[in-house]
Amino acid sequence: MREADMRGTESEPEAVAPFEIRRPAHQTEPFVFNSPHSGRVYPESFLKMSRLDRMSIRRSEDHYVDDLFAGVIQLGAPLLAAQFPRAWLDVNREPYELDPRMFDGALPPFANIGSMRVAGGLGTIPRLVAENMDIYRDRLSVEEGLSRIERVYRPYHATLRRIIAQTHVQFGKAILIDCHSMPANVRVAGGQPRPDIIIGDRYGASAAHDLSRAAVSFLSELGYRVVRNKPYAGGFITEHYGRPARGLHALQVEVNRGLYVNEATLARTTGFDLLKADLTEFAGQMMAFVRQDLSEDRLAAE
């Protein structure tokens, strides 16, 4: 699938596909990795609609997360990566979480206009980027918003569902790792130190407890300060695709941007390569854990 107007800061003027599957030669592990917020190809039509400059509008990106997790491909797992930016369309939302204040016209009756994410300006078509900066100069047409959902959101999720289903058929189980980053200034309630990584499992609803505990343990052993579910327990993707009783597990991994990127310039820092190597090591440890230490029966039982 290609999006003719998907032109961007790094690849102009060539048109690029809005997302891509990066596959190993042979999938050997029951894992699927997903990077829905690392897209950095901005349509020129979108930039013209925005009141933000080209740097400010990138504040909501999960900067380079697709590259941080790229090592999983060599380990035998596919990686689905968005190329469209989160500020343009957020696929980690319900398909129609839409803010009526953003649109010039009436939204369809099935739109979810009352969610907390819509109220916060972070619906399927976001109103804000980080630091509460308004994206648009004017209201959008309803047709524009619905078109993004039909042309990109639905194909993205159809692709993710297909990869997960194929993995489940091949291995009898599927583990989705939803890959994200968080601002460096994230804090945990109670005055605890800044976390390096947050593992989200929807408080045990989206994955077997042993998987979540193993993820926290492996990352802690690699030297990272790791917490679970607070303040990020997982978004729509983790909640929607995690069905542990059916052998479908979903974990969200949030990496602190302060570990690897300068948030002012968006340049990769010297910590990038070490973090990428550690995340590849972590992925390999999770794969070995599922292969050797966690039987299919125990995965299905929780």
Side-chain angles (χ1 to χ4, degrees):
M1 174 184 175
R2 300 187 69 83
E3 169 53 64
D5 194 35
M6 194 67 66
R7 302 174 180 225
T9 56
E10 296 190 355
S11 62
E12 280 187 332
E14 295 178 357
V16 299
F19 54 87
E20 61 180 358
I21 310 171
R22 304 172 191 172
R23 294 187 184 274
H26 302 285
Q27 184 174 350
T28 58
E29 305 291 344
F31 281 76
V32 175
F33 289 78
N34 181 49
S35 183
H37 288 165
S38 57
R40 45 194 179 270
V41 180
Y42 287 76
E44 281 296 333
S45 58
F46 172 53
L47 293 172
K48 290 175 182 177
M49 295 177 185
S50 177
R51 63 175 66 233
L52 301 176
D53 60 45
R54 288 176 180 261
M55 182 64 73
S56 297
I57 205 168
R58 297 187 65 188
R59 298 298 180 193
S60 64
E61 279 180 28
D62 285 349
H63 307 297
Y64 316 119
V65 163
D66 55 333
D67 293 340
L68 282 174
F69 282 88
V72 305
I73 300 164
Q74 294 300 316
L75 296 178
L79 170 65
L80 177 63
Q83 305 217 69
F84 58 88
R86 177 189 189 182
W88 185 77
L89 176 73
D90 192 341
V91 291
N92 198 23
R93 300 289 182 261
E94 297 174 23
Y96 296 100
E97 286 189 82
L98 300 173
D99 187 341
R101 297 169 296 176
M102 292 178 59
F103 296 95
D104 185 11
L107 291 171
F110 51 79
N112 181 355
I113 64 174
S115 78
M116 292 294 293
R117 292 179 289 212
V118 167
L122 300 174
T124 314
I125 308 293
R127 177 170 55 85
L128 305 173
V129 297
E131 301 158 7
N132 292 323
M133 295 186 292
D134 283 294
I135 295 173
Y136 294 98
R137 299 179 187 276
D138 302 302
R139 292 191 177 195
L140 300 176
S141 69
V142 172
E143 291 75 19
E144 168 68 22
L146 297 181
S147 175
R148 294 182 196 178
I149 294 167
E150 291 302 318
R151 290 184 296 121
V152 177
Y153 180 102
R154 289 193 176 281
Y156 189 96
H157 277 277
T159 300
L160 182 57
R161 279 194 302 273
R162 184 173 68 253
I163 300 169
I164 292 171
Q166 291 169 343
T167 300
H168 189 257
V169 168
Q170 181 177 350
F171 298 97
K173 54 183 169 286
I175 300 98
L176 172 66
I177 306 294
D178 203 40
C179 308
H180 296 265
S181 70
M182 57 188 171
N185 61 1
V186 165
R187 293 291 182 270
V188 177
Q192 299 180 47
R194 180 195 77 176
D196 294 321
I197 299 175
I198 299 173
I199 298 297
D201 65 0
R202 303 295 300 180
Y203 297 94
S206 69
H209 293 291
D210 282 352
L211 278 175
S212 302
R213 286 193 290 265
V216 171
S217 176
F218 293 146
L219 289 164
S220 298
E221 289 169 2
L222 287 167
Y224 295 96
R225 185 179 295 112
V226 187
V227 298
R228 186 174 169 188
N229 288 321
K230 295 182 180 179
Y232 303 119
F236 173 78
I237 288 172
T238 309
E239 179 181 17
H240 184 70
Y241 291 101
R243 296 289 184 270
R246 296 171 51 195
L248 300 168
H249 306 265
L251 292 177
Q252 179 174 281
V253 179
E254 291 269 1
V255 180
N256 195 300
R257 294 173 197 153
L259 296 172
Y260 71 95
V261 71
N262 181 319
E263 288 188 280
T265 66
L266 307 187
R268 304 180 194 202
T269 65
T270 55
F272 182 91
D273 290 339
L274 174 61
L275 177 60
K276 180 175 181 177
D278 283 345
L279 290 173
T280 303
E281 174 68 18
F282 158 69
Q285 289 175 324
M286 289 292 290
M287 292 171 184
F289 176 71
V290 169
R291 222 169 27 238
Q292 300 168 10
D293 300 322
L294 197 59
S295 71
E296 184 175 334
D297 289 341
R298 285 179 63 194
L299 268 177
E302 293 202 33

